[in-house]
Amino acid sequence: MKSKNSTTTPIRIVYDCSCTQYPNPSLNDCLETGPSLINDLVEILIQFRVNKIAFTSDIEKAFLNVQLVKHDRKYTKCLRLSDPMDTESDFVVYQFASVLFGSSSSPFIQNSVVKTHLDSEETPVADDIKQNIYVDNVISGINTVHDIQK
């Protein structure tokens, strides 16, 4: 595991999709957020505390791992000045290949992708994850080492 202060720790950009310039709406103002698919954290923590052996897990770079199909990428553009020191320079247009980290719709998209994958599996592990996932973190446990094999 890399130290948080390490020079090799990757930087992830979080976009401020709530940024606005009056009277224009922000990107988040224009997005549908979808229903909440997040499990109740209190319920997860209570169940977690009942177990004798605890474990946690995290979906690494969860939002960045939700890829956009090529024909949808045209809707997720970012404009950048070709010369940041010259406000009159041309824009360079980038298209996102994954879910935008920082938009109000991203949690729904990420959670629906995870739910879809878990629903396609009929295993005790998938069922456990479905019940004990909070955004991109799994907080669960078992009572005996023998339970690991189930």
Side-chain angles (χ1 to χ4, degrees):
M1 190 160 122
K2 296 177 189 168
S3 166
K4 294 289 181 193
N5 297 326
S6 168
T7 57
T8 60
T9 301
I11 295 173
R12 288 190 213 129
I13 297 171
V14 177
Y15 293 90
D16 182 2
C17 298
S18 294
C19 182
T20 186
Q21 200 169 36
Y22 184 81
N24 301 315
S26 71
L27 176 59
N28 278 345
D29 291 333
C30 300
L31 293 173
E32 291 291 331
T33 58
S36 176
L37 298 176
I38 299 172
N39 289 327
D40 184 307
L41 183 57
V42 173
E43 198 173 296
I44 292 172
L45 292 174
I46 290 170
Q47 182 60 38
F48 174 73
R49 299 280 309 216
V50 171
N51 297 300
K52 292 181 181 176
I53 302 170
F55 55 86
T56 64
S57 182
D58 174 77
I59 301 172
E60 187 175 353
K61 302 174 190 168
F63 292 104
L64 296 176
N65 281 313
V66 179
Q67 299 296 303
L68 299 173
V69 292
K70 285 193 179 195
H71 67 269
D72 284 343
R73 293 178 186 176
K74 64 185 173 190
Y75 303 111
T76 59
K77 293 182 182 173
C78 178
L79 306 177
R80 183 177 159 228
L81 290 173
S82 56
D83 179 0
M85 304 311 282
D86 178 9
T87 58
E88 300 297 317
S89 66
D90 291 334
F91 283 111
V92 178
V93 180
Y94 296 96
Q95 292 181 352
F96 291 97
S98 62
V99 171
L100 184 61
F101 190 42
S103 76
S104 59
S105 60
S106 294
F108 170 78
I109 296 168
Q110 185 263 329
N111 283 306
S112 63
V113 167
V114 170
K115 184 177 177 352
T116 298
H117 286 290
L118 290 171
D119 286 345
S120 71
E121 296 293 322
E122 294 182 18
T123 65
V125 172
D127 291 340
D128 184 64
I129 293 171
K130 277 190 255 187
Q131 292 174 7
N132 296 301
I133 191 167
Y134 187 79
V135 187
D136 63 346
N137 299 290
V138 177
I139 306 165
S140 190
I142 53 175
N143 285 315
T144 67
V145 176
H146 176 70
D147 292 341
I148 292 173
Q149 297 171 0
K150 292 184 181 178

